Amino acid sequence: EPEVTQTPSHQVTQMGQEVILRCVPISNHLYFYWYRQILGQKVEFLVSFYNNEISEKSEIFDDQFSVERPDGSNFTLKIRSTKLEDSAMYFCASRDTTIYEQYFGPGTRLTVT
Amino acid sequence: RKEVEQDPGPFNVPEGATVAFNCTYSNSASQSFFWYRQDCRKEPKLLMSVYSSGNEDGRFTAQLNRASQYISLLIRDSKLSDSATYLCVAAGGGNNRLAFGKGNQVVVIP
């Protein structure tokens, strides 16, 4: 069964450093998403991406965040200068054009020290 | 007002019993609804979509009431493996971003 994959599974970084989280969505999917979940809290939407551009972003997704689809398979989330409060699980998701169900990757646990 | 509200629980359920819980959503423009299951420190996994007519998948039944903006999930004959957090989700916006509730934590007890 096709699945969304994410790397790394865990990233530890120092405050102020840049991090890039990587995702490989399901191959025939065209809509891509990033969500985050701070420990003990609900899953929150960050950004959606379609047709090589951001289609919607939340207020969390400020100028420190960016997304890119550098090639036909990868989808990345970059945080330019990490803060302590960026520590969370980051989930990538993708969906088909015809159905609304989104499938999630296993997540990257980001720890900012 | 939160977009999706759920009573987090925990819901302690004897094995074999039936458990039901529900959530409410605030955005009347939401188009699609789902229940996801999340195990501790894992990703949300799609359990089922929720349709206005109600739908069933094995021991799981989901219902949607658009007039009251209310979604429910019922689990029959609970198994130990059903222990997890069940996330109520509403999709909206042009690209169907998902709005999650905090989840209903279910603990099935032998």
Side-chain angles (χ1 to χ4, degrees), chain A residues 38-52:
Chain A
I38 295 170
L39 188 64
Q41 296 188 27
K42 65 178 182 177
V43 178
E44 298 174 291
F45 168 76
L46 292 178
V47 66
S48 59
F49 191 87
Y50 172 70
N51 202 24
N52 284 318

PDB file of all heavy atoms in Angstrom, chain A residues 38-52:
ATOM      1  N   ILE A  38       2.138  20.068  18.778  1.00  0.00           N
ATOM      2  CA  ILE A  38       2.921  20.264  19.996  1.00  0.00           C
ATOM      3  C   ILE A  38       2.466  19.214  20.998  1.00  0.00           C
ATOM      4  O   ILE A  38       1.272  18.864  21.047  1.00  0.00           O
ATOM      5  CB  ILE A  38       2.723  21.694  20.536  1.00  0.00           C
ATOM      6  CG1 ILE A  38       3.309  22.698  19.529  1.00  0.00           C
ATOM      7  CG2 ILE A  38       3.350  21.872  21.901  1.00  0.00           C
ATOM      8  CD1 ILE A  38       2.978  24.139  19.814  1.00  0.00           C
ATOM      9  N   LEU A  39       3.401  18.701  21.780  1.00  0.00           N
ATOM     10  CA  LEU A  39       3.114  17.608  22.710  1.00  0.00           C
ATOM     11  C   LEU A  39       1.914  17.935  23.591  1.00  0.00           C
ATOM     12  O   LEU A  39       1.880  18.983  24.241  1.00  0.00           O
ATOM     13  CB  LEU A  39       4.358  17.336  23.563  1.00  0.00           C
ATOM     14  CG  LEU A  39       4.307  16.120  24.461  1.00  0.00           C
ATOM     15  CD1 LEU A  39       4.200  14.849  23.626  1.00  0.00           C
ATOM     16  CD2 LEU A  39       5.542  16.050  25.365  1.00  0.00           C
ATOM     17  N   GLY A  40       0.934  17.036  23.575  1.00  0.00           N
ATOM     18  CA  GLY A  40      -0.244  17.205  24.418  1.00  0.00           C
ATOM     19  C   GLY A  40      -1.318  18.100  23.830  1.00  0.00           C
ATOM     20  O   GLY A  40      -2.361  18.304  24.444  1.00  0.00           O
ATOM     21  N   GLN A  41      -1.068  18.619  22.626  1.00  0.00           N
ATOM     22  CA  GLN A  41      -2.035  19.511  22.008  1.00  0.00           C
ATOM     23  C   GLN A  41      -2.596  18.894  20.723  1.00  0.00           C
ATOM     24  O   GLN A  41      -2.197  17.818  20.311  1.00  0.00           O
ATOM     25  CB  GLN A  41      -1.385  20.871  21.743  1.00  0.00           C
ATOM     26  CG  GLN A  41      -0.961  21.577  23.022  1.00  0.00           C
ATOM     27  CD  GLN A  41      -0.502  22.990  22.796  1.00  0.00           C
ATOM     28  OE1 GLN A  41      -0.913  23.653  21.833  1.00  0.00           O
ATOM     29  NE2 GLN A  41       0.338  23.488  23.682  1.00  0.00           N
ATOM     30  N   LYS A  42      -3.534  19.632  20.113  1.00  0.00           N
ATOM     31  CA  LYS A  42      -4.157  19.083  18.906  1.00  0.00           C
ATOM     32  C   LYS A  42      -3.272  19.297  17.676  1.00  0.00           C
ATOM     33  O   LYS A  42      -2.330  20.091  17.706  1.00  0.00           O
ATOM     34  CB  LYS A  42      -5.522  19.743  18.694  1.00  0.00           C
ATOM     35  CG  LYS A  42      -5.438  21.222  18.400  1.00  0.00           C
ATOM     36  CD  LYS A  42      -6.810  21.816  18.153  1.00  0.00           C
ATOM     37  CE  LYS A  42      -6.656  23.290  17.810  1.00  0.00           C
ATOM     38  NZ  LYS A  42      -7.932  23.912  17.480  1.00  0.00           N
ATOM     39  N   VAL A  43      -3.599  18.579  16.633  1.00  0.00           N
ATOM     40  CA  VAL A  43      -2.911  18.736  15.355  1.00  0.00           C
ATOM     41  C   VAL A  43      -3.357  20.066  14.729  1.00  0.00           C
ATOM     42  O   VAL A  43      -4.556  20.359  14.680  1.00  0.00           O
ATOM     43  CB  VAL A  43      -3.253  17.569  14.412  1.00  0.00           C
ATOM     44  CG1 VAL A  43      -2.587  17.748  13.054  1.00  0.00           C
ATOM     45  CG2 VAL A  43      -2.844  16.240  15.036  1.00  0.00           C
ATOM     46  N   GLU A  44      -2.375  20.850  14.247  1.00  0.00           N
ATOM     47  CA  GLU A  44      -2.682  22.180  13.688  1.00  0.00           C
ATOM     48  C   GLU A  44      -2.195  22.264  12.240  1.00  0.00           C
ATOM     49  O   GLU A  44      -1.077  21.859  11.923  1.00  0.00           O
ATOM     50  CB  GLU A  44      -1.947  23.262  14.475  1.00  0.00           C
ATOM     51  CG  GLU A  44      -2.323  23.361  15.936  1.00  0.00           C
ATOM     52  CD  GLU A  44      -1.428  24.363  16.653  1.00  0.00           C
ATOM     53  OE1 GLU A  44      -0.220  24.075  16.818  1.00  0.00           O
ATOM     54  OE2 GLU A  44      -1.942  25.438  17.016  1.00  0.00           O
ATOM     55  N   PHE A  45      -3.012  22.840  11.404  1.00  0.00           N
ATOM     56  CA  PHE A  45      -2.679  23.055   9.995  1.00  0.00           C
ATOM     57  C   PHE A  45      -1.614  24.146   9.866  1.00  0.00           C
ATOM     58  O   PHE A  45      -1.684  25.179  10.548  1.00  0.00           O
ATOM     59  CB  PHE A  45      -3.949  23.477   9.247  1.00  0.00           C
ATOM     60  CG  PHE A  45      -3.718  24.010   7.863  1.00  0.00           C
ATOM     61  CD1 PHE A  45      -3.426  23.156   6.810  1.00  0.00           C
ATOM     62  CD2 PHE A  45      -3.807  25.375   7.613  1.00  0.00           C
ATOM     63  CE1 PHE A  45      -3.227  23.661   5.527  1.00  0.00           C
ATOM     64  CE2 PHE A  45      -3.611  25.886   6.342  1.00  0.00           C
ATOM     65  CZ  PHE A  45      -3.325  25.026   5.296  1.00  0.00           C
ATOM     66  N   LEU A  46      -0.627  23.911   9.007  1.00  0.00           N
ATOM     67  CA  LEU A  46       0.368  24.936   8.710  1.00  0.00           C
ATOM     68  C   LEU A  46       0.163  25.506   7.305  1.00  0.00           C
ATOM     69  O   LEU A  46       0.000  26.706   7.123  1.00  0.00           O
ATOM     70  CB  LEU A  46       1.787  24.357   8.796  1.00  0.00           C
ATOM     71  CG  LEU A  46       2.281  23.959  10.187  1.00  0.00           C
ATOM     72  CD1 LEU A  46       3.678  23.356  10.087  1.00  0.00           C
ATOM     73  CD2 LEU A  46       2.286  25.139  11.132  1.00  0.00           C
ATOM     74  N   VAL A  47       0.170  24.601   6.293  1.00  0.00           N
ATOM     75  CA  VAL A  47       0.191  25.086   4.919  1.00  0.00           C
ATOM     76  C   VAL A  47      -0.307  23.992   3.975  1.00  0.00           C
ATOM     77  O   VAL A  47      -0.149  22.804   4.241  1.00  0.00           O
ATOM     78  CB  VAL A  47       1.635  25.520   4.564  1.00  0.00           C
ATOM     79  CG1 VAL A  47       2.589  24.327   4.559  1.00  0.00           C
ATOM     80  CG2 VAL A  47       1.714  26.265   3.236  1.00  0.00           C
ATOM     81  N   SER A  48      -0.927  24.430   2.893  1.00  0.00           N
ATOM     82  CA  SER A  48      -1.279  23.501   1.811  1.00  0.00           C
ATOM     83  C   SER A  48      -0.600  23.979   0.526  1.00  0.00           C
ATOM     84  O   SER A  48      -0.335  25.173   0.354  1.00  0.00           O
ATOM     85  CB  SER A  48      -2.793  23.405   1.620  1.00  0.00           C
ATOM     86  OG  SER A  48      -3.340  24.673   1.308  1.00  0.00           O
ATOM     87  N   PHE A  49      -0.345  23.018  -0.359  1.00  0.00           N
ATOM     88  CA  PHE A  49       0.470  23.284  -1.546  1.00  0.00           C
ATOM     89  C   PHE A  49      -0.121  22.516  -2.708  1.00  0.00           C
ATOM     90  O   PHE A  49      -0.396  21.317  -2.602  1.00  0.00           O
ATOM     91  CB  PHE A  49       1.890  22.785  -1.241  1.00  0.00           C
ATOM     92  CG  PHE A  49       2.949  23.189  -2.223  1.00  0.00           C
ATOM     93  CD1 PHE A  49       3.620  24.389  -2.078  1.00  0.00           C
ATOM     94  CD2 PHE A  49       3.320  22.347  -3.261  1.00  0.00           C
ATOM     95  CE1 PHE A  49       4.626  24.755  -2.956  1.00  0.00           C
ATOM     96  CE2 PHE A  49       4.323  22.699  -4.147  1.00  0.00           C
ATOM     97  CZ  PHE A  49       4.979  23.898  -3.995  1.00  0.00           C
ATOM     98  N   TYR A  50      -0.332  23.225  -3.801  1.00  0.00           N
ATOM     99  CA  TYR A  50      -0.900  22.586  -4.987  1.00  0.00           C
ATOM    100  C   TYR A  50      -0.401  23.304  -6.227  1.00  0.00           C
ATOM    101  O   TYR A  50      -0.274  24.535  -6.230  1.00  0.00           O
ATOM    102  CB  TYR A  50      -2.447  22.643  -4.931  1.00  0.00           C
ATOM    103  CG  TYR A  50      -3.126  22.188  -6.198  1.00  0.00           C
ATOM    104  CD1 TYR A  50      -3.106  20.848  -6.565  1.00  0.00           C
ATOM    105  CD2 TYR A  50      -3.768  23.102  -7.037  1.00  0.00           C
ATOM    106  CE1 TYR A  50      -3.712  20.426  -7.734  1.00  0.00           C
ATOM    107  CE2 TYR A  50      -4.380  22.684  -8.209  1.00  0.00           C
ATOM    108  CZ  TYR A  50      -4.356  21.339  -8.547  1.00  0.00           C
ATOM    109  OH  TYR A  50      -4.961  20.920  -9.706  1.00  0.00           O
ATOM    110  N   ASN A  51      -0.089  22.549  -7.245  1.00  0.00           N
ATOM    111  CA  ASN A  51       0.333  23.134  -8.521  1.00  0.00           C
ATOM    112  C   ASN A  51       1.537  24.050  -8.333  1.00  0.00           C
ATOM    113  O   ASN A  51       1.599  25.159  -8.880  1.00  0.00           O
ATOM    114  CB  ASN A  51      -0.853  23.903  -9.128  1.00  0.00           C
ATOM    115  CG  ASN A  51      -0.717  24.088 -10.624  1.00  0.00           C
ATOM    116  OD1 ASN A  51      -0.030  23.318 -11.301  1.00  0.00           O
ATOM    117  ND2 ASN A  51      -1.350  25.120 -11.151  1.00  0.00           N
ATOM    118  N   ASN A  52       2.469  23.581  -7.514  1.00  0.00           N
ATOM    119  CA  ASN A  52       3.730  24.276  -7.266  1.00  0.00           C
ATOM    120  C   ASN A  52       3.619  25.622  -6.578  1.00  0.00           C
ATOM    121  O   ASN A  52       4.507  26.467  -6.717  1.00  0.00           O
ATOM    122  CB  ASN A  52       4.531  24.452  -8.568  1.00  0.00           C
ATOM    123  CG  ASN A  52       5.187  23.169  -8.988  1.00  0.00           C
ATOM    124  OD1 ASN A  52       5.736  22.446  -8.156  1.00  0.00           O
ATOM    125  ND2 ASN A  52       5.118  22.866 -10.266  1.00  0.00           N
TER     126      ASN A  52
END
